[in-house]
Amino acid sequence: MSSGKKVFIVGPGFIGWNVLELLAKENYAVTGYVRRQEHAKQIKASGATDTVLGDLNDKALITKHSLSHDVIIHTATADHLPSVEAILDAVQQRAEKGLSTIFIHTSGTSVLDDGAAGSHKSDKVYHDNVVSEVNSVPDNAPHRQIDLAIVKAQKQLGEKAKIAIMIPPTIYGINPSHGRLTIQIPTLTRYALKHGYAGHIGAGLAVESNIHVLDLARAYLVVLHRLESTPASSPEILENPYYFIEATGDNEPSWKDIASLIGSELHKAGLLADPSPRTIPPENYNDLFAEFTDAVIGLNSRSRAVRLRELGWEPVEKSWRESYVQDELPLILKEEVDRKAFDGYRGTVAS
């Protein structure tokens, strides 16, 4: 079997760039698949051995480079089937040549969306060591079609590959050397700056687990090392690919809690007249996540990272409150933009 030291990261952005840096520190030879030459230079400076320029729809290019790597990590988006199919095709081709592959995909806990739209806090909690709980979500849940394609391939490949699906919740925090912001909470902040109030969906009572991006990055390394050291025939690998990652335990904040912090801090900064959070009317959802708003910032999504904790992983970074006040909000307030022109988030949402 190959050394397992050659890693191909598809989309080393907000999450994957941090994973790449940790891999480089452990002397993995990492190739990053990126869209822009500027970012290629950035990840090279962070330790990438090589870079490939391309987009997620270039299945042939993704398959070509996946074929020559022992480990493939997809951190670009939870919702792009062609790129996942390209990787799975390479994993199958490698298996036919007697080469084992580790594939770690990034999904997100929007897959647990209960349609609450902020109306209540759910009692339903999902544990990643109980595979039936994860598999109980509807096939049409966010991200689920991609996850199911991977699970199907895993069953077909059996012991010929080791596959894991990382399922992060709301991600917060920054890497100071990257200066990149996450999605949900900054979007709610920019909405508040445009509309003059901090808002939440419905009553704001729904809750979601969360994780600092640096704790999340470390979790990828923990899972990778576990896959490397565990036989491919192990039921641990064959029967359960899922890993939740969260720092909150039973203390998940509600979306109203988050709006309250945004309102309080912007009020302190003299940018809001009233710190009190309010319900965001549906006609303003285009200034958030458009038709996906309820599923992104109005859902209940309560996950427990049982498996990672059993492997010794623990979150060590700042809480979401500390991170927002100390790191994220200062960056947002430095943005040289027309705040009234903000029209929502149009990228992909990992969680």
Side-chain angles (χ1 to χ4, degrees):
M1 182 178 171
S2 56
S3 67
K5 288 291 184 180
K6 289 184 66 177
V7 182
F8 185 46
I9 299 187
V10 176
F14 182 67
I15 299 172
W17 191 358
N18 290 291
V19 176
L20 183 151
E21 287 189 338
L22 295 177
L23 289 166
K25 289 176 182 176
E26 294 193 8
N27 298 313
Y28 286 84
V30 186
T31 297
Y33 187 83
V34 298
R35 289 178 298 165
R36 298 175 292 110
Q37 183 63 47
E38 178 187 0
H39 191 41
K41 292 178 182 177
Q42 290 174 322
I43 65 169
K44 287 277 279 189
S46 291
T49 306
D50 200 2
T51 59
V52 178
L53 290 178
D55 66 56
L56 291 180
N57 292 310
D58 194 336
K59 294 180 69 173
L61 188 61
I62 293 172
T63 298
K64 173 187 173 182
H65 288 280
S66 296
L67 283 168
S68 60
H69 288 81
D70 312 293
V71 179
I72 305 159
I73 302 175
H74 193 314
T75 55
T77 168
D79 293 305
H80 192 269
L81 184 59
S83 56
V84 170
E85 290 174 336
I87 292 169
L88 292 173
D89 185 35
V91 173
Q92 178 62 44
Q93 290 184 48
R94 284 174 56 86
E96 291 168 359
K97 297 176 182 177
L99 299 172
S100 180
T101 310
I102 290 174
F103 173 35
I104 301 176
H105 175 67
T106 306
S107 182
T109 63
S110 287
V111 73
L112 309 179
D113 176 26
D114 62 349
S119 63
H120 66 282
K121 177 180 178 178
S122 173
D123 294 329
K124 177 64 176 175
V125 178
Y126 293 83
H127 305 81
D128 60 7
N129 64 327
V130 184
V131 69
S132 60
E133 290 185 5
V134 186
N135 284 334
S136 70
V137 303
D139 288 355
N140 63 351
H143 315 322
R144 188 60 177 161
Q145 285 301 307
I146 312 296
D147 295 353
L148 287 173
I150 295 169
V151 170
K152 179 180 178 181
Q154 181 188 38
K155 290 178 180 178
Q156 294 170 341
L157 287 159
E159 299 178 18
K160 297 176 182 177
K162 300 177 182 180
I163 295 177
I165 300 175
M166 307 293 281
I167 312 179
T170 295
I171 304 169
Y172 68 90
I174 65 167
N175 180 328
S177 65
H178 299 174
R180 287 194 173 195
L181 287 161
T182 181
I183 299 168
Q184 287 96 324
I185 298 176
T187 296
L188 283 165
T189 303
R190 296 182 185 111
Y191 176 94
L193 288 167
K194 175 177 181 175
H195 289 273
Y197 67 92
H200 49 74
I201 302 306
L205 300 179
V207 302
E208 182 167 5
S209 307
N210 60 46
I211 189 69
H212 193 288
V213 66
L214 297 182
D215 283 326
L216 174 58
R218 279 189 283 272
Y220 280 79
L221 273 289
V222 172
V223 171
L224 173 58
H225 295 329
R226 184 64 174 182
L227 294 175
E228 289 174 327
S229 63
T230 305
S233 58
S234 169
E236 175 186 332
I237 290 179
L238 293 175
E239 296 176 8
N240 186 0
Y242 306 117
Y243 287 87
F244 290 136
I245 315 97
E246 46 75 28
T248 36
D250 294 331
N251 298 310
E252 313 101 328
S254 70
W255 294 102
K256 188 173 184 177
D257 292 334
I258 292 170
S260 294
L261 181 64
I262 293 170
S264 173
E265 293 303 313
L266 292 180
H267 179 66
K268 288 178 187 176
L271 296 168
L272 291 187
D274 183 355
S276 304
R278 304 182 209 166
T279 297
I280 298 170
E283 57 265 28
N284 287 355
Y285 283 7
N286 278 337
D287 282 346
L288 293 164
F289 300 94
E291 69 269 27
F292 303 109
T293 296
D294 283 347
V296 175
I297 54 172
L299 75 166
N300 282 294
S301 180
R302 309 185 67 189
S303 57
R304 297 293 180 270
V306 179
R307 303 182 76 192
L308 274 167
R309 287 187 169 88
E310 289 176 347
L311 295 176
W313 172 92
E314 288 290 344
V316 298
E317 300 293 336
K318 299 173 182 178
S319 72
W320 68 274
R321 289 180 179 274
E322 294 171 317
S323 179
Y324 180 74
V325 173
Q326 298 171 14
D327 300 330
E328 286 145 281
L329 182 57
L331 279 181
I332 294 169
L333 296 184
K334 288 178 183 176
E335 293 173 342
E336 296 181 358
V337 295
D338 178 358
R339 290 172 180 160
K340 295 300 182 183
F342 180 67
D343 62 351
Y345 182 80
R346 295 292 177 264
T348 56
V349 182
S351 60

